[in-house]
Amino acid sequence: MTPASPIAQLLEELDAGRIEARANAVLAEPLHWFPVRHHSPTVARHVARSIQARRPSIVFIEAPSDASELVPHIVDKKTKPPIALFSSYRDDDNVLGLAGIESPAPDVPFKVSVYYPLLSYSPEYVAMREAVALGARVVFIDLPFRARVKSAAERGLQGPPRESGPPTRDDAPPVAEHPESQPGWEHLAVESSFYQKLADAAGYRTFDECWDALFDVPSRHADTESFRRDLACFCAAVRATTPREWMESDGTLLREAHMWSTITRTLAETRTPPEKAMVVCGGFHIFLEKSTEPGRALPPGTVYNSLAPYSYLRTSSGTGYGAGNRAPLYYERLFQHSESDPANAPVAAMVDHVVGVLARGRRDGELLSPADAISVTQHARMLASLRNRSAPILDDVRDALISCCCKGSPQEEGRYLLGAMKAVETGTAVGRVTPALGKLPLLYDFYKALDELDLGEHVTQDRKAKVVLKLQQAEDERRSIFFHRLAQMGIPFARQLNVDKAGTLFTEEWEVAWTPKAEAALIEESVHGDSVESAALARLDEELAREAGSAGAVAERLLRAVNMDLPGMVLRLQASVGGAIDADTRLASLGKALTHLVVLERQAARRRLNKDLLDGLIQRCFGRACFAMPNAANVPPEEFDEVVAGVKSLAEVLIGEKGASLDRDLFIENARTTLADSKSQRLRGALSGVLTEIRAQSPEDLAADVARFARALPEEMVQCGDYLSGVMETSRTALMLGADGIVHAIDELLRVASWDQFLMLLPRTRGAFEAVHERARISLGDRVAVMYGLQDDDAAAVTKLETSVGAALKLSELDARVGEIMKEWDFA
């Protein structure tokens, strides 16, 4: 134990003898244990030194035990971190009993996937690299994540999952059930009473600050062995003050049993003496219980392990990664400098970082100079000295940047500086994986399609591009199908623009952009199929399983299946849409279904669809929606938006080219019944607007309805704004045709309203007018101006400015001269 270490001082209060004895016992074992923290640059440097000095025959590493075959690809010279070991699992036979509980439906298998990120300075990655360079065997020892998933029986579930909150500090630290990436042991360390007391005594604000001050200052330890001993004592104290039930609840003991079983079995099978082996694992785990009891069996199913390109952004703890690195680029600089000059590495890394932050800040709008770099680095040194540190750590640098460069509130005046700090701490590095690994069938199909569709250029550049597709052209139609399939899978590569824009039946606009997440997402989607088509179909199947009872959802999925050119699914959905329409009684859902079916009918000829079948479905859906209107007269307020949208859908179809073949009288009858029964002024306004729009009532009738509010009881009068909101959501031409009557009605209402009533009317009425189409708003504004004598009835809203040719020429000369003068100005 380093004499001056704050750990040593605190251990005196925590039975230091017992804790040090435990650490020394493990360190003295023939099997060489090296405790690590994920993504620690100083740990990585000492791990490399230890392997080089000991030259072990086997190096055991904390990584999923069924993925050891990936080691040659991880250390391949053409693989460049950051990368991630990706593992996915599909429970084909429902052995965990989670189908329908953790999956959309009983016939959809449960799936889970997890990432294990590796940076260039991750101790595990460095250990692999050094071991392979020496010719040592690398063996992964951790329990694969799928074995940590609790079955339905273990959770006590028989049906849909019960609501349960995360464990609290009183019983267990919070651990996600299925995290994107495995958490490290730090979540237990932070909750241990040892760390809590250490943080209080030393003034550490976060575990990261504590770790950096004690272990990631390269000059704090004279050699690798003193570093290993200090870290082992720290971890022994953390473990001694962590309740056993916490380790049971988060799977730590389960994992450790698998680790020890794998180590002992491998040593026996290879007849390797323990002294010729080395274990690189989380510091918490070097004190694992050496149990000989059989570990947890791995559940059968489809398993896939591979490597994926990763990025510093996704490795950052700011994105939710449990064992994440708070500043990936900053620690990369620290690692690089420590390899050549450990004593000066913290200062060199600090200087590189500060210069980078100031340059980024200037670019973003901060007034920063080279002199600021000097003041920041000096200030960071002084802060480190005041905090009893031998060199500045990231927390000192952060504090110095804000102290020296922020002239006001960090959230206001310093917002560009904070943004620059975060960006430069994180970095933009993106890794790559060796081609020798090969491609998943799904990845192969994706890249093959890019080549065939002449879209390859979009993966060679990191920028967004707009792609306009003319669907009458065969090549563009194939591109559209490909993009729609990727969108269905959730692949972040293509995003459709202007989806609701009119006149897009034969034209589509897409924004295409390649990101490292796209390939990672494709790897993750490999559990759904081996091709883009089959994966998109499986995804659509899952959605249908969740929403089979919704006519709107089934019709929308039919439209998607058509856009994705999935003939089998189209036939299946065409057969099931009718049943969904007959079973659904919700106006909002039926309105959505009607809209989608009308769009499909317009595409029938081009998409080779059965037009007669679609026409029959439209008739049925329209009739069912009309009969559903009265039942929606008094829905809860949170459902108003959907109900009004359903009314609008019916009206738009009735007004459109399809309207002549629909039962207009049925709609009017049910709309009037709903209008009479509804207590919602917004819904009443929407229905009144629709009836005016389809000429079932006159604009004068609509104005009379508004005028009634002036004579209503006070509690009803103040709801006029809600009524107007409904009118303006569903009416287009009616507002302009009845502008005079509506303006006079509103004027009368405002004149008779009391001050308190006026204050209640104002925000709702104003909101109604802000939502209306600009042309209708101008028409209403003109009527107000005429009524108050501010404009003649026949006056033009805008007067054209008349000028002579000579005057226009003179203005042009003045513009040119002003431009020349401004070019000579120095705006710096």
Side-chain angles (χ1 to χ4, degrees):
M1 176 63 63
T2 304
S5 170
I7 302 174
Q9 298 171 13
L10 187 60
L11 288 179
E12 293 178 4
E13 305 173 16
L14 299 173
D15 193 357
R18 181 173 62 86
I19 291 173
E20 284 202 80
R22 188 178 186 191
N24 289 334
V26 171
L27 296 179
E29 289 182 10
L31 183 62
H32 190 74
W33 297 87
F34 205 107
V36 306
R37 184 194 184 197
H38 299 305
H39 316 314
S40 168
T42 305
V43 173
R45 181 169 59 87
H46 285 296
V47 164
R49 287 184 175 182
S50 184
I51 292 175
Q52 293 164 3
R54 295 186 62 84
R55 304 183 69 84
S57 299
I58 297 179
V59 177
F60 296 105
I61 294 176
E62 182 187 330
S65 60
D66 57 357
S68 293
E69 71 276 4
L70 292 174
V71 171
H73 301 298
I74 293 173
V75 300
D76 190 297
K77 291 182 179 179
K78 292 183 179 179
T79 295
K80 178 185 176 184
I83 56 172
L85 195 159
F86 171 81
S87 182
S88 67
Y89 166 69
R90 185 177 65 219
D91 185 4
D92 300 306
D93 298 323
N94 197 27
V95 295
L96 297 175
L98 295 174
I101 297 175
E102 291 280 350
S103 74
D107 60 342
V108 178
F110 163 72
K111 307 178 187 72
V112 67
S113 59
V114 64
Y115 288 90
Y116 301 79
L118 294 168
L119 311 183
S120 61
Y121 52 89
S122 295
E124 299 87 349
Y125 171 76
V126 171
M128 289 181 229
R129 187 188 65 194
E130 295 298 330
V132 170
L134 290 173
R137 180 181 177 183
V138 175
V139 178
F140 291 170
I141 60 173
D142 202 0
L143 181 68
F145 187 75
R146 66 184 184 278
R148 294 175 56 196
V149 178
K150 293 180 180 178
S151 68
E154 289 173 314
R155 302 184 200 185
L157 298 178
Q158 299 298 325
R162 298 175 297 187
E163 293 184 4
S164 60
T168 65
R169 184 168 171 177
D170 294 333
D171 50 18
V175 179
E177 187 69 44
H178 304 311
E180 181 190 70
S181 47
Q182 293 248 54
W185 53 271
E186 295 85 351
H187 68 281
L188 292 172
V190 170
E191 295 294 328
S192 70
S193 59
F194 167 71
Y195 168 73
Q196 297 290 334
K197 292 180 179 179
L198 177 61
D200 290 341
Y204 298 133
R205 294 163 290 184
T206 64
F207 183 78
D208 286 317
E209 181 181 8
C210 170
W211 176 270
D212 283 8
L214 297 179
F215 299 110
D216 260 335
V217 175
S219 58
R220 274 204 78 245
H221 297 87
D223 53 41
T224 294
E225 192 54 30
S226 65
F227 177 87
R228 185 172 79 110
R229 189 167 300 278
D230 246 14
L231 180 50
C233 285
F234 177 87
C235 294
V238 166
R239 182 132 187 167
T241 57
T242 298
R244 180 181 176 82
E245 56 267 26
W246 289 10
M247 294 183 276
E248 289 177 344
S249 67
D250 80 336
T252 294
L253 297 182
L254 200 64
R255 293 172 59 201
E256 291 179 347
H258 187 82
M259 291 180 191
W260 183 243
S261 173
T262 304
I263 291 170
T264 54
R265 184 178 66 253
T266 303
L267 291 176
E269 290 174 353
T270 59
R271 298 182 179 180
T272 302
E275 57 269 18
K276 293 296 292 180
M278 178 173 172
V279 182
V280 178
C281 67
F284 198 84
H285 306 308
I286 69 171
F287 304 101
L288 54 77
E289 299 174 3
K290 298 177 173 64
S291 171
T292 57
E293 295 181 7
R296 186 180 179 104
L298 298 180
T302 301
V303 178
Y304 181 77
N305 293 317
S306 187
L307 296 178
Y310 224 59
S311 67
Y312 273 171
L313 178 62
R314 294 191 74 187
T315 312
S316 168
S317 54
T319 60
Y321 169 28
N325 187 318
R326 59 176 177 162
L329 179 56
Y330 177 88
Y331 291 111
E332 179 193 292
R333 287 170 168 154
L334 183 63
F335 179 68
Q336 291 172 342
H337 286 296
S338 66
E339 285 192 304
S340 57
D341 188 1
N344 295 315
V347 172
M350 173 183 65
V351 171
D352 287 349
H353 180 69
V354 169
V355 170
V357 169
L358 297 184
R360 176 65 179 256
R362 280 194 297 272
R363 194 190 76 185
D364 292 345
E366 287 284 358
L367 297 176
L368 302 168
S369 71
D372 289 313
I374 298 172
S375 62
V376 169
T377 53
Q378 290 302 104
H379 195 73
R381 285 170 178 262
M382 289 189 290
L383 283 174
S385 179
L386 286 170
R387 292 164 175 169
N388 198 28
R389 296 167 184 161
S390 59
I393 64 172
L394 178 59
D395 298 85
D396 303 320
V397 178
R398 284 176 171 176
D399 292 343
L401 278 162
I402 292 173
S403 298
C404 297
C405 301
C406 180
K407 311 302 189 288
S409 166
Q411 285 70 36
E412 297 296 332
E413 289 83 359
R415 62 187 184 279
Y416 294 120
L417 176 66
L418 291 179
M421 289 168 60
K422 182 177 180 180
V424 178
E425 285 176 3
T426 304
T428 59
V430 176
R432 65 170 180 262
V433 174
T434 174
L437 182 62
K439 295 286 186 187
L440 273 171
L442 179 57
L443 280 170
Y444 177 82
D445 187 62
F446 171 78
Y447 286 109
K448 178 171 174 283
L450 289 180
D451 290 339
E452 292 175 349
L453 299 173
D454 197 23
L455 296 169
E457 64 177 300
H458 297 296
V459 298
T460 61
Q461 51 194 13
D462 185 18
R463 65 180 181 84
K464 296 177 181 178
K466 183 177 176 182
V467 177
V468 179
L469 303 178
K470 303 296 183 182
L471 301 184
Q472 303 96 322
Q473 301 174 13
E475 189 74 4
D476 275 1
E477 185 172 28
R478 290 175 60 211
R479 292 189 180 107
S480 169
I481 291 167
F482 179 62
F483 287 161
H484 278 289
R485 289 174 177 176
L486 294 178
Q488 174 66 45
M489 295 160 60
I491 306 301
F493 178 70
R495 181 173 68 90
Q496 190 173 6
L497 306 174
N498 302 320
V499 179
D500 299 323
K501 184 179 178 182
T504 58
L505 186 60
F506 297 103
T507 303
E508 290 179 352
E509 294 182 2
W510 293 81
E511 181 183 84
V512 180
W514 172 255
T515 71
K517 290 184 180 180
E519 185 161 318
L522 284 162
I523 292 175
E524 197 165 336
E525 282 299 303
S526 63
V527 298
H528 287 99
D530 292 339
S531 68
V532 172
E533 179 179 355
S534 62
L537 181 61
R539 275 287 198 172
L540 193 61
D541 239 344
E542 287 186 1
E543 291 184 8
L544 283 168
R546 288 194 297 267
E547 301 180 281
S550 168
V554 174
E556 195 267 342
R557 292 339 182 253
L558 173 58
L559 179 58
R560 281 201 222 169
V562 169
N563 288 334
M564 290 188 285
D565 192 26
L566 303 175
M569 178 62 80
V570 169
L571 292 174
R572 172 183 154 192
L573 286 171
Q574 282 182 328
S576 60
V577 168
I581 289 171
D582 293 340
D584 206 337
T585 60
R586 296 165 298 168
L587 173 61
S589 176
L590 291 164
K592 291 177 183 176
L594 183 63
T595 300
H596 297 314
L597 290 170
V598 170
V599 172
L600 282 165
E601 190 188 41
R602 292 168 62 198
Q603 298 185 21
R606 183 169 63 85
R607 299 290 196 179
R608 299 173 296 281
L609 303 175
N610 186 328
K611 193 173 187 301
D612 292 337
L613 173 63
L614 288 171
D615 186 64
L617 289 172
I618 289 171
Q619 298 283 347
R620 285 165 68 183
C621 189
F622 181 82
R624 289 284 296 172
C626 288
F627 285 122
M629 288 172 66
N631 293 330
N634 292 293
V635 296
E638 60 269 19
E639 297 180 24
F640 283 169
D641 286 343
E642 290 190 347
V643 170
V644 171
V647 171
K648 288 172 63 177
S649 296
L650 292 175
E652 286 170 358
V653 173
L654 200 57
I655 294 170
E657 59 187 35
K658 189 69 182 173
S661 63
L662 298 175
D663 192 338
R664 184 173 182 272
D665 292 337
L666 180 65
F667 174 82
I668 293 172
E669 178 186 350
N670 283 279
R672 285 176 171 162
T673 300
T674 309
L675 179 61
D677 293 344
S678 180
K679 302 293 190 297
S680 165
Q681 294 298 345
R682 181 182 168 202
L683 181 55
R684 287 172 55 81
L687 290 164
S688 189
V690 164
L691 290 171
T692 307
E693 199 75 15
I694 65 172
R695 305 296 190 270
Q697 69 177 21
S698 68
E700 290 74 23
D701 293 331
L702 178 62
D705 280 341
V706 177
R708 288 192 189 99
F709 282 95
R711 300 182 292 276
L713 295 174
E715 58 268 22
E716 186 178 350
M717 178 189 294
V718 296
Q719 296 180 38
C720 184
D722 294 332
Y723 182 86
L724 288 171
S725 292
V727 170
M728 293 174 182
E729 283 182 83
T730 57
S731 178
R732 296 176 183 174
T733 58
L735 280 175
M736 292 184 282
L737 292 173
D740 272 332
I742 292 172
V743 165
H744 281 89
I746 295 174
D747 183 65
E748 181 184 355
L749 173 68
L750 296 177
R751 278 191 288 107
V752 301
S754 67
W755 177 250
D756 289 341
Q757 291 167 345
F758 173 76
L759 291 179
M760 294 182 69
L761 276 167
L762 182 61
R764 298 180 184 181
T765 307
R766 179 177 179 178
F769 279 99
E770 286 179 347
V772 79
H773 191 278
E774 184 180 4
R775 285 178 297 174
R777 193 162 59 243
I778 291 172
S779 176
L780 289 168
D782 286 345
R783 303 326 298 168
V784 171
V786 170
M787 187 174 72
Y788 283 96
L790 301 176
Q791 178 179 301
D792 292 336
D793 201 2
D794 57 351
V798 180
T799 302
K800 184 179 179 182
L801 177 64
E802 299 289 348
T803 184
S804 66
V805 175
L809 181 60
K810 192 64 177 177
L811 287 171
S812 177
E813 292 173 357
L814 287 172
D815 283 341
R817 180 56 182 151
V818 168
E820 291 173 5
I821 294 172
M822 290 183 68
K823 288 177 183 177
E824 297 173 2
W825 286 0
D826 183 2
F827 288 96

